[in-house]
Amino acid sequence: MRISVSDLPVTQLEAEALIMVLSKDAGVPGLWQPLDDTEAGMISETLTSSAFSGKAGQTLTLPLRDAGPARYLVLAGLGKAEEVDVESWRRAVGSGFTAARSRGAKSVAVPVPESSDIAASEIAAASAEAALLASYRFQEYKEVPDDQVDVVALVIGSGDPAAGEAVSQATTVAEATCWARDLINRPGNAKRPAALAEEIEKMAAEHGLRCEVLGAERCAELGMNALISVGQGSSVPPQLVLLEHGMEEADEPPVVLVGKGITFDSGGISIKPSLNMGEMKSDMSGAAAVVATMRALADLDVRRPVVGVTPLAENMPSSSASRPGDVVRAFGKKSIEIVNTDAEGRLVLADALAYALERYEPACMVDLATLTGACVVALGSAAAGLMGTDDELCEQLRAAGETSGDRVWRLPLWGAYDELIDSDVADMKNSGGRYAGAITAAKLLQRFVGDTPWAHLDIAGTAFTKKASAYQPKGGTGFGVRLLTRWLLT
Ligand code: BES
Ligand code: MN
Ligand code: ZN
């Protein structure tokens, strides 16, 4: 989809469909008045009738007769005026875009108002982002229907001089998010650790990131026995992929991002029930978010050192798989009793965090992982769980979550939770049982990050969805890419 910014009046925008975003029970906004005039008051009449109230999620498509290039006007509701924020805009534009596309429009324009509580450039950026995210389809394995229409051009209507730059940045981030979705939606047989590592290497070469892949042998030599144990049931060995951005010219320690990359999580010997097990192809969503964020940072030429670390493994049952009761020594020699082979995420992350800590001496570390069903129980799909040792870092992430649309909500890491992962035979065990499951998982990770400011995002409930919403089709969401880029850019 080609994306451009235009300061032409709405009646002259070159697009088959115009999306008119407006709040509940509002009249025709000023910038749309010329169109209402050429259409003989058709828009204002529609707004006074009961056909469209402007409540959140509502759309109404109207044919245009005399409006120049546009054939359709799609009304898209923002909800109550006093509750409107950037996310309301994203959702309205996402719904409006989908409505326009279903009418067969190949080009769509979203005019943005000059003055409101939110800066016009910010609304422009959010609109481009939402349209791109709503336009996403995963079609690597399905024949494209003959009658499928794709929107090839998007025009953001804005006279704000800052709109061009803001839209271009949002485009880069949204495209990276869609790439993360591709990786997540791809089936487990197409992204086993070696294949996924190759895919990441290819991206790194194309976008100018330094990439290093540590094979299983190297990982074993280094003492990453927790990662090795998770992958040992699979016929394809685990890998650790490192992406570096801005490290050569850096005069400060890097930010390290770590992403859980279980390419398929069967549970191992502690096998999962078969119902919905297929969704566990998405258990590498943390890794997808990290590598896609690295891609966006490279494209945006962000001037700060950032390292992405992704431990990749396939968690499978076999005669070579790790057994419940096994004890492994992670990188740095702490021992872990594996009481449940399905609590594998914290094992691969423990090695990755400990290794990154020693190798990079980072300013801070943030990890993302589809770590626990308990986090889904606690927060559902509205927010990821945020846990961390550093209040300032956690506050920065919370704030970036509010503005980016990838929301997070904090859970405590009090010392009282520590004893839940004490083990009779090792330094710790990899499961603390059912209670406070999201927290005890984070508690294990905390033991591998030293004193470095660290935050953990449990994205189990936000990474993958079975229900489409305004700008999010079914499947992988790419959660974390918008959050991390927003955080790193502010
Ligand atoms: N990948 C799962 C967590 C998960 C569950 C992600 C649902 C997305 C949706 C993780 O590896 C896992 O199996 N966790 C266990 C931990 C338990 C055995 C302590 C869980 O949450 O049940
Ligand atoms: Mn698991
Ligand atoms: Zn898992």
Side-chain angles (χ1 to χ4, degrees), residues 188 192-193 230-236 261-264 312-316:
R192 299 180 78 196
V230 172
Q232 75 190 31
S234 167
S235 58
V236 177
I262 300 300
T263 62
F264 182 70
L312 309 179
E314 187 180 48
N315 188 21
M316 296 296 254

Side-chain angles (χ1 to χ4, degrees), residues 242-277:
L242 304 155
L243 292 173
E244 295 180 359
H245 168 76
M247 285 293 277
E248 291 88 16
E249 61 273 19
D251 50 12
E252 52 176 331
V255 169
V256 165
L257 308 174
V258 180
K260 171 179 173 181
I262 300 300
T263 62
F264 182 70
D265 182 13
S266 69
I269 297 296
S270 313
I271 198 162
K272 287 182 180 297
S274 58
L275 186 72
N276 297 327
M277 197 201 276

Side-chain angles (χ1 to χ4, degrees), residues 260 346 369-377 437-439 441-442 456 458-461:
K260 171 179 173 181
R346 62 202 79 183
T370 46
L371 206 57
T372 67
C375 192
V376 190
V377 173
I439 295 172
H456 158 64
D458 192 332
I459 61 170

Side-chain angles (χ1 to χ4, degrees), residues 138-170:
F138 181 68
Q139 293 184 310
E140 287 180 16
Y141 293 88
K142 216 165 135 75
E143 203 181 330
V144 176
D146 289 338
D147 58 351
Q148 175 175 309
V149 175
D150 287 308
V151 178
V152 295
L154 173 72
V155 182
I156 303 295
S158 175
D160 186 332
E165 183 56 34
V167 165
S168 139
Q169 186 173 308

Side-chain angles (χ1 to χ4, degrees), residues 288-337:
V290 167
V291 298
T293 298
M294 296 303 293
R295 174 181 136 154
L297 296 178
D299 289 352
L300 295 171
D301 251 327
V302 171
R303 299 247 166 265
R304 65 195 281 193
V306 183
V307 177
V309 180
T310 53
L312 309 179
E314 187 180 48
N315 188 21
M316 296 296 254
S318 78
S319 68
S320 62
S322 70
R323 296 149 284 266
D326 281 4
V327 176
V328 292
R329 268 189 203 287
F331 183 88
K333 298 286 185 303
K334 285 182 182 137
S335 63
I336 309 174
E337 179 191 6

